[in-house]
Amino acid sequence: MGSLPFTVSDLQTSVSGVRSNPTLLCTPLMGTTVEQMLTEMRKAKEIGADIVEIRLDCLRNFSPAQDLQILIKQSPLPTLVTYRPIWEGGQYEGDENKRQDALRLAMELGASYIDVELEVAHEFNNSIYGKKPQNFKVIVSSHNFHNTPSTEAIGNLVARIQASGADIVKIATTALDITDVARVLQVTVHSQVPTIAIVMGERGLISRLLSPKFGGYLTYGALEAGAISAPGQPTAKDLLDLYNFRLIKPDTKVYGIIGKPVGHSKSPLLFNAAFKKVGLNAVYVHLLVDDVEKFFNTYSAPDFISGCSCTIPHKEVAIKCMDTIDPIARKIGAINNIVRKPDGKLTAFNTDYIGAIEAIEDGLRESNGSSPAVGSPLAGKLFVVLGAGGAGKSLAYGAKEKGARVVVANRTFERAKDLADKVGGQALTLAEIENFHPEEGMILANTTSVGMKPKINDTPIPKHALKHYSLVFDAIYTPKDTRLLREAKESGKIIVYGTEMLIRQGFEQYKNFTGLPAPEELFRELMSKHA
Ligand code: ATR
């Protein structure tokens, strides 16, 4: 791979509990009673939040003098008090003077921060001039629930907030595209005043996760997934445990998975656990990307994005953004692993085929006792691929590369023919596979979706036809034990699970990202725990 993307100085010893950045983690309290909020405060502290945001507008029957006293005095964490009116996206509909009176009272009763909207900030800040307790700070906020304006408009907005007498600037815009985050960070990273910059919505997630990298004063983490105070807010637990929030620093390298949808991906779990264990100054995030080209054009710094995994629907289209591509990946026409070299150039791989082929090779070696040094046990074998989609291509090109003779069988014959011609092999329809046995000891790789949840009783080939094969691989991993693999096992065949392809393609990605050996044990442990 040439030079390693990480130098020795990048290697940090990061012990659990170590904190590498001053960015605060604030948990909003959304309870509708004082009692509920008191319970939520204790939970927030337990989870590891630094401060709690008391959302007064969520309280039913709020009685300022009594409730604020209890909430502020009994909080086990410093408090930020917000009383968001309906005109700024909150729930308060009442008299404006009473609202501001409650905020002033919160200040007097010992709140550490109050959040006041830009719209009324001048008036409010004038009213407390000379009365602010020591260490008390006013956050002046502005929310845009429609979009993220131009860089110039964001710059003007920040200037207006500063001029209103803010101790801390807060802007929250809405991401229509992940590249909107770049404009907000571009402005706020240079702000002279402490700044909270949030880009709401799933496409803005990185503004929240990476706030320590960009010097953010604070980020919000929900108590639970169902109790968010703004769109796209992660839970405090995910920030801390999944994304290693406390370890992120300005020079932390950012990796991620680009896809749409992408929120379900377990890759951040695997990579962040590995980075933490090895002590790499890196983080791996979910990246909901609509337009790949725009994404790579916008995020082109060597530490952001340092590399990414690539999933549906971008595996093919991302190719046009690459500077170099692994030759087999180019033939397959799909990439799933992108690495940015120190010179900024993007190199792409297809680790799916490597993962699957290596798993099959190891299965064969285990059964015949040969060592990896001997060469591929696939050389000269007849390798039957069922299916001619993306996974079918990966397996067919991968097997061909190892010197196997390839047969492609597909429901739609034309697709089988097309792929078989490219790998110099034979094409069949899926129906013909039952009576196809030109020789014994063949390899079978299913890449069709036949047998996948929920149709787990389906199988692409009758059991009796399996006797001509020595090894059966199924790319399906939901369920792990497909009917095909169960019947192959009963027939005494070597079987290779789809989960092996999945996990091994991850090993390859890790090696390409870091230049280090993959933490195989850890990946396997996490995969089985979170399957
Ligand atoms: P992937 O990227 O996972 O390979 P794909 O490109 O959609 O997904 O390919 C799905 C494969 O499963 C194709 O080979 C498809 O056959 P067709 O080319 O005839 O569509 C195959 N497949 C899907 N459902 C099938 C079914 N019910 N019976 C047989 N083959 C099926």
Side-chain angles (χ1 to χ4, degrees), residues 312 315-316 386-394 408-416 430 446-452 455 458-460 475:
I312 292 163
K315 287 186 176 193
E316 287 99 28
L386 306 183
K393 277 188 196 160
S394 293
V408 182
N410 194 45
R411 176 176 63 181
T412 312
F413 179 73
E414 291 69 34
R415 289 184 87 191
L430 201 54
N446 176 45
T447 71
T448 73
S449 47
V450 181
M452 194 188 292
K455 295 186 170 176
D458 289 357
T459 186

Side-chain angles (χ1 to χ4, degrees), residues 321-339:
C321 308
M322 299 298 117
D323 296 297
T324 52
I325 297 172
D326 168 76
I328 309 279
R330 186 180 284 286
K331 283 186 189 159
I332 294 169
I335 56 176
N336 72 329
N337 178 232
I338 299 165
V339 179

Side-chain angles (χ1 to χ4, degrees), residues 153-313:
I154 298 167
N156 290 339
L157 179 64
V158 170
R160 272 177 62 213
I161 296 178
Q162 286 186 19
S164 75
D167 297 312
I168 298 165
V169 169
K170 176 184 170 187
I171 59 165
T173 65
T174 295
L176 302 181
D177 189 272
I178 192 167
T179 56
D180 291 343
V181 178
R183 290 199 300 285
V184 171
L185 295 177
Q186 203 183 330
V187 173
T188 54
V189 83
H190 298 299
S191 171
Q192 300 302 309
V193 177
T195 300
I196 302 168
I198 304 286
V199 188
M200 296 181 284
E202 195 184 346
R203 289 168 175 77
L205 181 65
I206 51 175
S207 69
R208 299 173 181 276
L209 306 184
L210 302 179
S211 55
K213 180 172 175 70
F214 299 99
Y217 185 81
L218 169 159
T219 201
Y220 299 88
L223 207 51
E224 323 175 327
I228 58 172
S229 66
Q233 196 171 82
T235 62
K237 192 170 176 339
D238 277 354
L239 277 166
L240 294 169
D241 299 343
L242 174 58
Y243 299 109
N244 299 337
F245 179 77
R246 298 292 191 207
L247 302 179
I248 300 174
K249 297 184 288 188
D251 61 352
T252 295
K253 291 187 174 193
V254 180
Y255 294 86
I257 176 159
I258 61 170
K260 182 185 172 182
V262 77
H264 63 282
S265 171
K266 294 277 192 289
S267 295
L269 180 87
L270 300 184
F271 284 98
N272 286 326
F275 291 158
K276 186 172 181 183
K277 185 164 184 190
V278 182
L280 281 180
N281 183 15
V283 62
Y284 187 107
V285 295
H286 291 99
L287 300 161
L288 178 57
V289 170
D290 297 275
D291 181 336
V292 189
E293 209 165 355
K294 196 168 163 190
F295 173 79
F296 283 114
N297 285 339
T298 305
Y299 298 109
S300 56
D303 68 337
F304 189 23
I305 297 289
S306 299
C308 58
S309 310
C310 181
T311 188
I312 292 163

